[in-house]
Structures are given as structure tokens and as C-alpha cells.
């Protein structure tokens, strides 16, 4: 009988998102101490998506374990508009999350826009999205007291890269990804495209890959631009860009999809935000760090956004109007 050939142990460190989540939770607990009463988050569920229900239940548990109040309201999709309007005017509600997809059409974007901006924990209101793409970090211009709200899943990915020290804190805020080349596989409007923009705004060169093709997001040579620019890389595919990347982030919503790890640069950092396992087990033979899922971080970011909304509301004696159009600054972190 021949002895089994042992593979050398993998040098890849697998980082579970709960480590990052716990780190962020301590920040959330500090914020909570400054409030008189528990923040109240309302989750509106108007679809039969099991992923949305799981996500809602996980959010409820995290809220209850950490001093937040969470109420799930299940409504039919015909009643969702009225349910949002009721939560908007209810003084006992601090934050609202509506689980999507509901109609799966532009009606979903309509619903996103009727959530009161001061209760929009997901940062889906037009003004927040505009600020994000334009790299405007505050709602009150030069006063810089009210931070704009960033979308939860893109921000969760950023918090993970910060935790993994991909962000270089010796560099000034806004430039801390300078020198990194990052591939994001998914260009949806809710996660992939905003994520590519945020990473590029922080100084990275980002290849954004979708089934429609590859785009490159950068702030130009030597980070000359204030916000990112995008170019279509016609004819290029994942295979052309991945070998250049030191970070690869995947979000393909299919259990059939497996990332071809032979393309990875040795020692790349790999993060998967899809609820499916996009990386096969062999990723451990190539990657230096691997984060298999990020859901727990997303939920803590949601709570952090809720605290931020409450802090912004407190400062509302300073009127935030007209601040949106002013050029942003690069001096504050996400
Ligand atoms: N962990 C978390 O906190 C969250 C996880 N998710 C998960 O992330 C995944 C994606 O969510 P969404 O962006 O909302 O989904 P989506 O369905 O809106 O977008 C998926 C995108 O991936 C692209 N895509 C599909 N196959 C591809 C391929 N082979 N190569 C490159 N691109 C491909 C699609 O064209 C589309 O642009 C889902 O699994 C979802 O459950 C979503 C939100 C939060
Ligand atoms: N407005 C809105 N925002 C969302 O962010 C949103 C939504 N609607 N609709 C539903 C999808 C789905 N989604 C997930 C979030 C976390 C995990 C997650 O936490 N996954 C665990 C594993 C899941 C498990 O334990 O089964 C993890 O990453 O560790 C999954 C899926 C957010 N969504």
C-alpha cells in the first residue's frame, strides 16, 4: 500500500467576516452610548425571496443582540408604497430597509426614491448615490459635520479591505488604495458598480467585470482627478485583467459559477460577497488571504449607517441644502 501523498499546508489565511464584524461592532457600541434610546430599524418585506427573509432574520438577531430595536413588517407588494410612506412619517422609526427585488422592474427604483432620505439606511436615495459617484463625502459642504451615507454591501467590502490592511494608512484619506489593482466580478447597480467607483475614488485601479464586458475605473494617471473616470476595455475579458490584480472580489449570484483560480496572481487577496460560493476550494493554493463571505459585516455596516443618520439628524440645525453640488474633499474616510 502506498502512503498518501500529503500536500504541503496552504499558506492562505482564511478570514471569516465575523472578525471584521466584531471589530466594527465595537465602534457601533461607542456610538450607541451617546443616545438616549435604542435606534429603531424597520424592515419591509414584500417579496417571497428566501435570501431576503434570511437576511432580514439575521439583521433582526444582530439588532437585538446589540441594543437596537428591529421590527419586520411583511406586506403584500400592492401595499409596499403605503407602508414606506407610513414608516417615513412615524416618529418612532429611525431607519427603513426595504428588501429587494419586489417588482424586479423600474418600480423598484421608484420605491427606493420614496424612502425618506433621513431614514435611508441603505444609502439608495439619489442624493447619496450622486455623492458617492461624485466622491462628495459630506452633506453639509465645507462644514463637514454630516457624512453622506454609503451603500451597505459596497461599504462592507471596503471595511474588509481596511481590516486586511490593504488600505495604506500612511497615505492621506482618499488615496489609500493607490498602487492597488482590484478586479470586481459583478457590475450590478446595487453592489458591483458602486463598489468599483468607491475603490477607484480611494485611488485603486479597478477592473469591473460583468458578462457584458470589462471596464476600467481610475482617478487617472497619478490620481490627478478628484473623482473616478471609466473606460470600456473592448475585447478584453477576465483572463486579461485578473493576472494584474492583487485583490479579486466576486459577487456572481449563481451556484454554477466558479472563478478560475489558475488566473490568480500568487498571493492575491480574494473576497466573495455573493451568497453563493464563487471561489472553489483551490483558491487556498494561490491566495494569501481569502474571505469566503461578508454578510455579517454588511449587517453591522447597516447599523453603523443607522447611527450616522441619527447623528446627522441631530446636527440638522445646520441646513444641509445646496451642499450636494459643491466639490467634495478627500480628507475623510468612508
Ligand atoms: N453579502 C451581502 O451582504 C450581500 C450579498 N449579496 C449577494 O451578492 C450577489 C449579487 O447580488 P446583486 O449584485 O444584487 O445581483 P444582481 O443579480 O443584481 O447582479 C449580478 C451581476 O453579476 C453579473 N454576472 C452574472 N454572471 C456573471 C459572470 N459569470 N461574470 C461576471 N459577471 C456576472 C450580472 O450580469 C449582474 O450584473 C447575490 O448572490 C446576492 O445574494 C447582495 C447584497 C448583499
Ligand atoms: N435592500 C436589500 N438590500 C440587501 O442587501 C439585500 C436585499 N435587499 N435583498 C436580499 C439580498 C440578499 N442579501 C444577503 C445578505 C447577507 C447574506 C449573508 O449574510 N450570508 C451569510 C451566509 C448565509 C447563511 O448563513 O445562510 C454570510 O455571508 O455569512 C446573504 C444575502 C442581502 N440582500
Amino acid at each position: 500500500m502506498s502512503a498518501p501523498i500529503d500536500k504541503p499546508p496552504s499558506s492562505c489565511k482564511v478570514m471569516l467576516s465575523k472578525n471584521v464584524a466584531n471589530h466594527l461592532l465595537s465602534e457601533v457600541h461607542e456610538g450607541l452610548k451617546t443616545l438616549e434610546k435604542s435606534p429603531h430599524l424597520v424592515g419591509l418585506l414584500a417579496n417571497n425571496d428566501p435570501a431576503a427573509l434570511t437576511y432580514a432574520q439575521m439583521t433582526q438577531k444582530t439588532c437585538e443582540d446589540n441594543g437596537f430595536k428591529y421590527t419586520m413588517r411583511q406586506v403584500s407588494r400592492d401595499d409596499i408604497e403605503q407602508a414606506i410612506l407610513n414608516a417615513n412619517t412615524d416618529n418612532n422609526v429611525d431607519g427603513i430597509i426595504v428588501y429587494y427585488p419586489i417588482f424586479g422592474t423600474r418600480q423598484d427604483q421608484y420605491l427606493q426614491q420614496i424612502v425618506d432620505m433621513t431614514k435611508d439606511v441603505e444609502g439608495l436615495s439619489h442624493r447619496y448615490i450622486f455623492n458617492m459617484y461624485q466622491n462628495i463625502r459630506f452633506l453639509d459642504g465645507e462644514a463637514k459635520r454630516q457624512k453622506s451615507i454609503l451603500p451597505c454591501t459596497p461599504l462592507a467590502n471596503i471595511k474588509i479591505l481596511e481590516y486586511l490592511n490593504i488600505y495604506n494608512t500612511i497615505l492621506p484619506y482618499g488615496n489609500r488604495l493607490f498602487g492597488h489593482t482590484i478586479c470586481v466580478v459583478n457590475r450590478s447597480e446595487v453592489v458591483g458598480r458602486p463598489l468599483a467607483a468607491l475603490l477607484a475614488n480611494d485611488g485603486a485601479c479597478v477592473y469591473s467585470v460583468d458578462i457584458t464586458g470589462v471596464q476600467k475605473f481610475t482617478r487617472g494617471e497619478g490620481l490627478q482627478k478628484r473623482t473616478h473616470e471609466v473606460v470600456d476595455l473592448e475585447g478584453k475579458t477576465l483572463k486579461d485583467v485578473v493576472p494584474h490584480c492583487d485583490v479579486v472580489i466576486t459577487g456572481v449570484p449563481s451556484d454554477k459559477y466558479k472563478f478560475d483560480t489558475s488566473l490568480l496572481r500568487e498571493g492575491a487577496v480574494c473576497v466573495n460577497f455573493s451568497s453563493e460560493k464563487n471561489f472553489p476550494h483551490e483558491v487556498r493554493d494561490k491566495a494569501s488571504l481569502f474571505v469566503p463571505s461578508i454578510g455579517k459585516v454588511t449587517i453591522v455596516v447597516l447599523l453603523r449607517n443607522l447611527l450616522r443618520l441619527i447623528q446627522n439628524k441631530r446636527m440638522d440645525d445646520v441646513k444641509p441644502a445646496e451642499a450636494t453640488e459643491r466639490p467634495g474633499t478627500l480628507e475623510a474616510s468612508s
Side-chain angles (χ1 to χ4, degrees), residues 17 49 51-52 54-55 58 97-101 122 124 153 275 293-296 298-299:
S17 75
D49 177 5
T54 311
Y55 182 48
M58 287 171 55
I97 174 166
V98 182
Y99 298 98
Y100 295 103
E122 287 218 289
L124 297 173
T153 310
S275 30
S293 72
I294 72 155
K296 291 190 171 66
T298 309
I299 293 170

Side-chain angles (χ1 to χ4, degrees), residues 91-251:
N91 288 332
N92 291 315
V93 175
D94 299 299
I96 302 170
I97 174 166
V98 182
Y99 298 98
Y100 295 103
I102 296 175
F103 293 95
T105 63
R106 286 190 57 185
Q107 200 167 342
D108 285 357
Q109 279 88 67
Y110 165 71
L111 294 171
Q112 282 168 7
Q113 299 313 320
I114 64 170
V115 172
D116 187 320
M117 206 187 120
T118 65
K119 298 189 179 185
D120 176 12
V121 282
E122 287 218 289
L124 297 173
S125 299
H126 187 268
R127 176 133 174 247
Y128 293 135
I129 296 178
F130 175 84
N131 285 353
M132 174 194 64
Y133 281 118
Q134 289 297 315
N135 205 7
I136 296 170
R137 307 213 173 185
F138 293 90
L139 294 166
D140 54 353
E142 288 307 307
K144 295 186 187 173
R145 290 179 350 133
Q146 294 178 308
K147 278 192 174 180
S148 200
I149 301 294
L150 292 171
C152 296
T153 310
L155 183 53
N157 277 284
I158 284 175
K159 289 293 157 193
I160 283 168
L161 298 188
E162 283 180 355
Y163 187 86
L164 299 177
N165 286 329
I166 310 295
Y167 274 74
N168 185 339
T169 53
I170 293 174
L171 295 172
Y173 279 122
N175 286 355
R176 290 182 169 178
L177 287 179
F178 193 23
H180 290 281
T181 307
I182 304 179
C183 179
V184 179
V185 189
N186 169 318
R187 202 183 313 116
S188 71
E189 279 305 305
V190 282
V191 194
R193 196 167 81 89
L195 176 58
L198 285 168
L199 297 171
N201 285 344
D202 279 336
C205 166
V206 184
Y207 293 109
S208 168
V209 178
D210 206 291
I211 43 180
T212 52
V214 182
Q215 294 179 343
K216 186 177 175 179
F217 290 55
T218 67
R219 285 210 350 251
E221 213 170 285
L223 306 188
Q224 285 159 7
K225 304 217 159 52
R226 190 190 57 76
T227 187
H228 68 282
E229 60 184 16
V230 182
V231 288
D232 258 306
L233 301 182
E234 267 172 53
K236 295 270 191 243
T237 68
L238 185 84
K239 285 189 170 54
D240 302 307
V241 297
V242 169
H244 301 287
C245 296
D246 58 317
V247 179
V248 176
I249 303 176
T250 58

Side-chain angles (χ1 to χ4, degrees), residues 20-35 37-39 62-69 155 159 296-308 310-311 314:
V20 192
N22 288 341
H23 174 78
L24 275 177
L25 264 177
S26 54
E27 191 188 316
V28 167
H29 290 156
E30 285 306 306
L32 263 184
K33 282 187 203 156
T34 67
L35 306 179
K37 65 178 181 62
S38 300
T62 310
C63 281
E64 287 167 357
D65 290 348
N66 292 285
F68 288 75
K69 190 174 164 211
L155 183 53
K159 289 293 157 193
K296 291 190 171 66
V297 180
T298 309
I299 293 170
V300 181
V301 167
L302 192 75
L303 301 184
R304 190 173 175 270
N305 277 356
L306 177 54
L307 286 179
R308 190 147 287 172
I310 294 170
Q311 285 157 0
R314 272 199 203 152

